[in-house]
Amino acid sequence: TGVCRTGARADDAPSSRLRRRRENDATAVEDATGDASQGEKGGRLRRLCECERAAADRLTGRVGDGRGAAVEDSAAADEAGDVGAAIWGVACGAAASGQYRWAFLTEGASLADGTEDLLKALGCMVLAGPLLTGYTQTMNDWYDRDLDAINEPYRPIPSGRISEGQVIAQILVLLGLGLGSAVALDLWAGHDILGDPLHSILAIAIFGSIVSYLYSAPPFKLKAEGWRGCFALGASYIALPWWCGHAMFGELTAPVVALTVAYSFAGLGIAIVNDFKSVEGDRALGLKSLPVEFGIDGAKYICATMIDVTQLGVAAYLYAIHEQTYAAVLFGLLLPQVAAQLAYLLKDPVQFDVKYQATAQPFLVLGLLVTALAVGHHGGADWPF
């Protein structure tokens, strides 16, 4: 394959660093592959070089005019949204426990009771949000640095603004603070960590941290395997933070775990939406995201089906356990999501992904809270048979 030469401006420091890295990488590819331009391997290398060149061109053309900053702001907004999803999940878990006390609103609850439960909930939100979601995001960004150099070269790691040592230090600090906070929350809730570890917040935090590592890091890198990766990400949006909030205030039972795992298939659909914008880099690096495996047209229907069928199934479950009012509200919240899918997702998921998420996601997360309130009202989740 030919060497990918990229013309970066000398006065653009991030561009110059990226240009030198790409020229060195491309030269190494040429030396290592020799005549690999023949066949599938050569084709993949040529496509990768083309994507690398396009990314460098985008960087040299956009960093100076401010559009790179806009893309970086969009990435930061995505990460803030992930933190918000974790915080919302904790709130849903607390509501589903049926044991959360609102000062003067819950029967027999004093101001001190309400304040204590609020502080407990905030502690769980900090654990699930800034600490462990931050740990997950930082680790994912590190292992995605080559992919981001193609799709989003303006980000701090691929542009060279953050060093390897700084990234590793941030990962370890966030993980350490997260696990330490989990122990403190268990002690506050009166959990017996050693005697009954499976019903502790620490166990949930450790499990989530392991899933996050498996999702991002080789040789496992679940995110490279479409179905498993999307489901792991969906569970991190819904099930794991729900478990944290629920365990803080009540007993995390098998039916609750089953319900939240089932609801995570809607999170799988959300994860597919996030993959549409990365399809170019995923394809070049051989990652098996669902838009790569099934094409954009196929993946958009899988996405809509996962989101809609999951919520219909949960509404049917709520009806079966005699929470008909909550079931009807959940069904009503699904209707605007279907309208947004028809208007944006199914029309062009690449062009309209932001509009779709801004229009549809508020109704999905409200539906999650409605489900949690139904479980709390019912006194816990039951098996529907």
Side-chain angles (χ1 to χ4, degrees):
T1 56
V3 177
C4 299
R5 299 292 179 184
T6 58
R9 294 197 302 270
D11 61 344
D12 189 332
S15 303
S16 299
R17 286 195 295 270
L18 188 61
R19 172 178 55 79
R20 288 194 298 270
R21 176 182 171 188
R22 295 186 190 291
E23 289 180 346
N24 292 337
D25 289 349
T27 302
V29 166
E30 184 180 68
D31 294 341
T33 58
D35 296 328
S37 57
Q38 303 297 322
E40 180 181 353
K41 185 175 181 181
R44 178 174 294 178
L45 291 171
R46 284 196 302 275
R47 290 194 299 274
L48 180 56
C49 280
E50 290 168 0
C51 291
E52 293 270 1
R53 184 187 297 112
D57 290 343
R58 290 197 297 271
L59 182 61
T60 57
R62 293 180 185 175
V63 167
D65 65 14
R67 278 177 286 178
V71 174
E72 205 170 323
D73 289 343
S74 176
D78 287 343
E79 293 181 349
D82 292 342
V83 173
I87 291 173
W88 186 262
V90 168
C92 291
S97 72
Q99 302 299 316
Y100 185 88
R101 297 170 297 179
W102 291 97
F104 308 123
L105 297 178
T106 303
E107 184 178 356
S110 65
L111 177 61
D113 294 332
T115 301
E116 180 183 9
D117 281 6
L118 176 60
L119 292 176
K120 286 180 177 179
L122 291 175
C124 289
M125 290 174 180
V126 171
L127 166 63
L131 295 181
L132 290 187
T133 300
Y135 151 80
T136 300
Q137 290 172 339
T138 306
M139 183 168 56
N140 184 64
D141 286 349
W142 174 248
Y143 285 111
D144 270 4
R145 59 192 183 278
D146 293 329
L147 179 62
D148 286 341
I150 297 172
N151 292 321
E152 298 172 289
Y154 324 94
R155 303 190 72 169
I157 294 175
S159 67
R161 300 199 304 274
I162 297 180
S163 68
E164 177 179 358
Q166 290 172 316
V167 174
I168 293 175
Q170 183 172 327
I171 290 171
L172 293 178
V173 168
L174 289 172
L175 178 61
L177 289 174
L179 297 181
S181 298
V183 172
L185 290 169
D186 274 326
L187 294 176
W188 195 357
H191 295 159
D192 186 354
I193 301 176
L194 297 179
D196 190 13
L198 295 181
H199 288 86
S200 68
I201 295 173
L202 178 61
I204 297 169
I206 292 173
F207 177 72
S209 301
I210 293 172
V211 171
S212 297
Y213 178 81
L214 296 177
Y215 176 79
S216 299
F220 309 100
K221 205 170 181 70
L222 294 178
K223 69 176 300 178
E225 304 293 332
W227 289 106
R228 289 182 293 175
C230 284
F231 184 77
L233 187 58
S236 73
Y237 288 148
I238 295 175
L240 289 171
W242 179 314
W243 296 351
C244 179
H246 200 126
M248 186 71 203
F249 297 99
E251 182 181 0
L252 190 60
T253 62
V256 171
V257 171
L259 175 63
T260 52
V261 168
Y263 220 129
S264 296
F265 280 98
L268 185 154
I270 299 172
I272 297 174
V273 176
N274 294 332
D275 283 340
F276 287 120
K277 64 185 177 183
S278 304
V279 67
E280 178 186 87
D282 290 347
R283 185 179 292 115
L285 295 179
L287 301 181
K288 299 177 182 178
S289 69
L290 293 182
V292 170
E293 286 195 278
F294 294 93
I296 290 176
D297 283 341
K300 69 185 183 183
Y301 287 106
I302 295 174
C303 172
T305 300
M306 289 293 103
I307 292 172
D308 297 347
V309 170
T310 297
Q311 292 177 89
L312 285 172
V314 173
Y317 166 76
L318 296 181
Y319 187 89
I321 63 171
H322 307 294
E323 295 293 342
Q324 290 90 343
T325 300
Y326 291 99
V329 172
L330 181 58
F331 179 79
L333 290 171
L334 177 59
L335 299 180
Q337 296 176 62
V338 173
Q341 290 163 3
L342 294 173
Y344 300 121
L345 180 66
L346 300 182
K347 182 180 291 185
D348 188 337
V350 177
Q351 180 180 353
F352 297 122
D353 66 323
V354 175
K355 285 187 176 181
Y356 168 70
Q357 294 193 70
T359 304
Q361 301 298 62
F363 296 100
L364 188 147
V365 298
L366 282 174
L368 188 64
L369 179 59
V370 167
T371 303
L373 292 171
V375 171
H377 180 263
H378 190 72
D382 289 333
W383 298 114
F385 44 77

